[in-house]
Amino acid sequence: MNLGTCYHCGQPVPPAVDLATDIDGQRRAMCCVGCQAVAQAIVDNGLADYYRNRDALPNAPREAMPKIVEGLQLYDHADFQKSFVRVLGDGPDHGEREASLILEGITCSACIWLNEQHLSRLVGVTAVDINYATRRARVRWDERRIKLSEILTAIAAIGYRAYPYDATKSEELARQERRRALWRVFVAGFGMMQVMMYAVPVYFAGPGEMTTEVEQLMRWASLVLTVPVVFYSAAPFFANAWRDLRLRRAGMDVPVALGIGAAFAASVWATLTASGEVYFDSVTMFVFFLLSGRFLEMSARQRAVSLTEELARLLPVVAARLPGYPAKRDFGDLEQVMAADLQPGDVVLVRPGEAIPADGRVVEGESSANEALLTGESAPVSKRPGSSVTGGALNVESPLLIEVTQVGEATRLSAIVRLMERAATEKPRIVEFADRIASRFIIMLLFLAVVVAVVWWFIDPGQALWITVSVLVVTCPCALSLATPVALTVASGAMARAGLLVTRSHAVETLARATHFVFDKTGTLTTGGMRVLEVLPLGQLGETASLELAAALEQASEHPLGAAFREASAGKVLPQVDALVNEPGYGVNALHAGQRLRIGRPDYVLGGHGKPLPEAALSLLDSGDTMIGLGDDAGWIALFRVGDEPRQEAVALVAALRAAGRQVTLLTGDAAAAACRVAQALGIDEVQAGASPQAKRDYVQRLQAAGAVVAMVGDGVNDAPVLAQAQVSVAMGGGSQLARTQADLVLLSENLDHLRQGVVVARRALHVIRQNLLWSVAYNLVALPLAMGGFITPWMAGIGMSGSSLLVVANSLRLQKGARN
């Protein structure tokens, strides 16, 4: 065994990985924690003979798991579950658990229904959600009543395979799925071309130009070439149909398998008896076109759902940890450790071009970080000592020393991926409605096919078979089942790339239908940070000198108001002040040029000299913003208006919403004067100021009672009740955790222009869904009568069925373009 390969699976061991398991008294290298856990389980259960008796290394990590180990509930091992199972209770042995799985073998919405119904009936399983577009399943269960291995066994019992989700495994499964599908398409295409070479001469031969023996030879040659097409290329149709029938469920592959099987069986009988008609050319063409359409649909679907996989791969596998920092700063002591093993308080070195391994803060170095996939902002963000950084962001310019603050499931990236998975696995009402229609449509189609077969048997028995096959194939409701989920998946991905994260399945549809947009003020329409908005000189000093003097007095203050003055005078040389005294709740006083200066509340400054404010300053007191006075023993020097200013992109957002006919309201707990000032600056006509959390909720309820579909955009704990009340809610990315968990969408970048883009994408998505549903219904209404009348042959039906599904997917993929319009 090469020391550079894993003793368990045979894969190369990464240079930075130092994992091993004692097997037969020898220390054996392992490539990852998963292989180490499997190997340890084999040894602990007295099964080390597995390694002694095996005669070859597995070709893939999955094959490295012997069946005897699978029977020992390996998936129930705590170490094995670390990467894909979340404990929702208070302890590892209590409460619910939730796993993210990949399902193999999903071909239509009936497969989704079957798996969900089957698992939901298991005692101990509390929730199951499966997304058709991503093949991802979110399963929640009570560990005290059922084990994960039992759930996976139940999935296998109905003909599917489930794997713990990880980005690498998902990508590998997608590759395998594409490769298998491509081989089936190739065999079907090759068979179709060869069969047509024998069918064309028969079609064009005139009376007496081809002997019976030659025609029979053509039939046998076509039969030989059709066999691999039916039994290899079309095998998934028969396997899925048999599984559905065995479980008393009519899936979408049932009519397809019946059509292929009936046409092939009739052609074989005609060949054996040298009588009747053969349909080998139609069978091969139909299989080829159907598989080609499904292959293109699968490729498009995999491209559409790639964002979650991209996010999951952002975190690096290893990190460079600097032990003993800050006492030890020797970079020669760097330790290469698994990123998953980092703990809060560790200090890591991140070089230019490397991804940040966990959430943290910069302790040394200045650089910039690319957070495009995390926030939608394409421009790198400047980072300096004290700046917070997000795991998964890419360090662009210079080395950074970063202290880790959050790891694992607690990181921002994990939260984003978890919210995206939740949205992907939930089913909005519009998808459930389409699935119910599709399921009933298949049963109706099978009944109708029987009626058509009987009717045509009396009209023209020679045409009854191929007309029945055409009816079975042409109206398969694949397009109807794809119409909504693919469009929603593509739209969610496009919105996430623009910085608006969809966390609930209904959010895209409801955001598009919203008639009223209600905004909180502080931290939503405004920056939430205090700024010096206006300076009114009241003495001999001008605006700049007054501002610099105020900044000098506030230079040691930790109050947000003090930070506003320092920021307003950043980069300037401040006057010298001495004997600074902070009086909490009132202000600051200090000595400057022999004078005692005061800055703070106007009444505090007034107490220093006793002179009332001039008439010109009284109007500022009614603005609703915070007023800060500056004075000395002789009188007033200046008055400052401090508050948070509107976000730059808020004006464009409000204008776009109003131009689209949406009602915009400012709903805030702030004073009326401050609220009206912001509303006037942004072009908002309706203002509800001084509202308590309950009053905000009551206001939204009144709008809903009048028939409005309300979208609430807020930030903060006080907004949680009203976010929950609205039909669709948006939380700013920097808002409180409670607000985020209540929200249906999260604005990761806090850039309101990304919300504007998201609203545009949501409306386009709803338009595309309606187009897809209209096309699906119209296609079936037109195709079914034509097929019943004998105007559509089986190969034409295959093209029509594949083309309708492909058109729905292609139409949905248009949402990926123009997300930033």
Side-chain angles (χ1 to χ4, degrees), residues 139-455:
V139 182
R140 186 175 294 180
W141 72 96
D142 188 339
E143 182 70 11
R144 294 164 296 185
R145 304 175 68 191
I146 191 172
K147 300 296 183 182
L148 177 59
S149 58
E150 297 175 274
I151 297 174
L152 300 181
T153 302
I155 294 173
I158 57 174
Y160 299 87
R161 299 181 72 183
Y163 304 98
Y165 171 76
D166 69 75
T168 304
K169 184 65 178 178
S170 178
E171 188 176 354
E172 176 62 25
L173 287 176
R175 247 194 323 265
Q176 293 176 4
E177 187 180 11
R178 287 194 302 270
R179 186 163 55 247
R180 286 194 298 266
L182 197 57
W183 268 107
R184 295 185 192 280
V185 171
F186 170 75
V187 171
F190 182 80
M192 177 192 70
M193 290 187 294
Q194 298 303 311
V195 169
M196 289 303 297
M197 289 176 60
Y198 294 105
V200 169
V202 177
Y203 288 148
F204 286 97
E209 294 181 1
M210 181 176 292
T211 64
T212 304
E213 291 78 8
V214 172
E215 183 177 351
Q216 188 66 7
L217 179 63
M218 296 287 192
R219 289 188 174 189
W220 277 103
S222 298
L223 170 59
V224 171
L225 291 168
T226 304
V227 166
V229 175
V230 172
F231 289 96
Y232 173 70
S233 294
F237 301 134
F238 293 107
N240 295 336
W242 173 247
R243 179 193 60 215
D244 291 337
L245 292 175
R246 182 166 53 88
L247 296 167
R248 300 179 182 178
R249 170 71 183 172
M252 291 186 188
D253 283 333
V254 171
V256 173
L258 285 175
I260 296 173
F264 180 72
S267 300
V268 170
W269 177 255
T271 301
L272 293 174
T273 60
S275 62
E277 298 290 335
V278 294
Y279 306 97
F280 294 124
D281 54 340
S282 294
V283 169
T284 54
M285 290 180 70
F286 163 58
V287 173
F288 172 73
F289 287 128
L290 183 57
L291 288 175
S292 298
R294 288 199 176 184
F295 176 77
L296 294 173
E297 176 261 314
M298 175 190 66
S299 300
R301 169 176 50 79
Q302 289 177 353
R303 287 198 305 272
V305 301
S306 61
L307 180 60
T308 305
E309 279 72 19
E310 288 182 43
L311 287 173
R313 289 194 297 267
L314 285 179
L315 286 178
V317 176
V318 295
R321 182 170 61 188
L322 184 60
Y325 182 90
K328 297 172 61 178
R329 300 188 70 260
D330 186 358
F331 288 167
D333 294 336
L334 285 173
E335 298 176 346
Q336 296 294 320
V337 299
M338 302 295 290
D341 293 335
L342 290 174
Q343 298 296 325
D346 287 346
V347 174
V348 295
L349 173 66
V350 182
R351 299 177 177 87
E354 294 181 347
I356 298 171
D359 291 358
R361 65 177 184 87
V362 178
V363 293
E364 281 191 33
E366 292 191 10
S367 184
S368 58
N370 186 339
E371 301 175 348
L373 270 181
L374 298 170
T375 65
E377 290 285 0
S378 57
V381 181
S382 176
K383 301 296 180 184
R384 54 178 54 89
S387 300
S388 61
V389 292
T390 303
L394 187 68
N395 185 20
V396 177
E397 298 168 352
S398 305
L400 292 174
L401 280 180
I402 296 171
E403 180 184 356
V404 175
T405 57
Q406 299 286 354
V407 296
E409 291 294 317
T411 62
R412 180 178 173 85
L413 178 60
S414 295
I416 291 174
V417 171
R418 193 160 56 245
L419 290 172
M420 291 184 69
E421 289 176 353
R422 183 180 70 182
T425 52
E426 290 180 345
K427 276 194 179 68
R429 289 188 298 272
I430 191 171
V431 173
E432 292 178 343
F433 176 71
D435 286 349
R436 284 197 301 271
I437 292 179
S439 178
R440 294 170 183 171
F441 185 81
I442 293 173
I443 297 175
M444 183 191 75
L445 171 62
L446 295 174
F447 173 77
L448 191 61
V450 173
V451 174
V452 169
V454 172
V455 171

Side-chain angles (χ1 to χ4, degrees), residues 410-578:
T411 62
R412 180 178 173 85
L413 178 60
S414 295
I416 291 174
V417 171
R418 193 160 56 245
L419 290 172
M420 291 184 69
E421 289 176 353
R422 183 180 70 182
T425 52
E426 290 180 345
K427 276 194 179 68
R429 289 188 298 272
I430 191 171
V431 173
E432 292 178 343
F433 176 71
D435 286 349
R436 284 197 301 271
I437 292 179
S439 178
R440 294 170 183 171
F441 185 81
I442 293 173
I443 297 175
M444 183 191 75
L445 171 62
L446 295 174
F447 173 77
L448 191 61
V450 173
V451 174
V452 169
V454 172
V455 171
W456 273 98
W457 181 261
F458 288 101
I459 297 175
D460 186 351
Q463 299 191 73
L465 177 61
W466 71 261
I467 291 177
T468 303
V469 170
S470 298
V471 170
L472 284 170
V473 172
V474 76
T475 54
C476 183
C478 296
L480 184 62
S481 293
L482 289 170
T484 302
V486 174
L488 290 178
T489 299
V490 176
S492 297
M495 292 167 71
R497 291 181 188 278
L500 184 62
L501 181 65
V502 178
T503 72
R504 292 291 183 186
S505 59
H506 71 89
V508 176
E509 176 196 357
T510 313
L511 184 66
R513 294 191 299 104
T515 58
H516 286 64
F517 282 78
V518 180
F519 291 88
D520 178 44
K521 182 180 80 71
T522 305
T524 303
L525 289 176
T526 63
T527 60
M530 304 303 287
R531 301 286 188 274
V532 178
L533 303 178
E534 186 176 351
V535 181
L536 179 63
L538 299 176
Q540 297 180 351
L541 297 180
E543 290 187 14
T544 302
S546 298
L547 194 56
E548 291 175 356
L549 191 57
L553 287 166
E554 295 281 7
Q555 60 186 309
S557 173
E558 297 180 358
H559 195 281
L561 292 174
F565 284 102
R566 292 195 299 274
E567 183 177 344
S569 300
K572 298 180 180 179
V573 179
L574 302 180
Q576 180 69 35
V577 294
D578 301 303

Side-chain angles (χ1 to χ4, degrees), residues 495 500 506-520 524-525 653 657 662-667 684 696 699-701 703-704 707-715 719 721-731 742-745 752 755-756 758-759 762-763:
M495 292 167 71
L500 184 62
H506 71 89
V508 176
E509 176 196 357
T510 313
L511 184 66
R513 294 191 299 104
T515 58
H516 286 64
F517 282 78
V518 180
F519 291 88
D520 178 44
T524 303
L525 289 176
L653 170 63
L657 292 175
R662 269 54 177 181
Q663 180 70 39
V664 180
T665 302
L666 176 59
L667 180 63
I684 299 176
K696 291 181 180 181
Y699 175 76
V700 169
Q701 281 183 321
L703 291 177
Q704 292 170 331
V709 178
V710 179
M712 177 68 200
V713 187
D715 174 81
D719 292 328
V722 70
L723 287 172
Q725 178 62 40
Q727 280 101 330
V728 62
S729 55
V730 184
Q742 292 284 354
D744 304 311
L745 302 109
L752 289 177
L755 176 57
R756 180 190 64 80
V759 173
R763 289 180 194 153

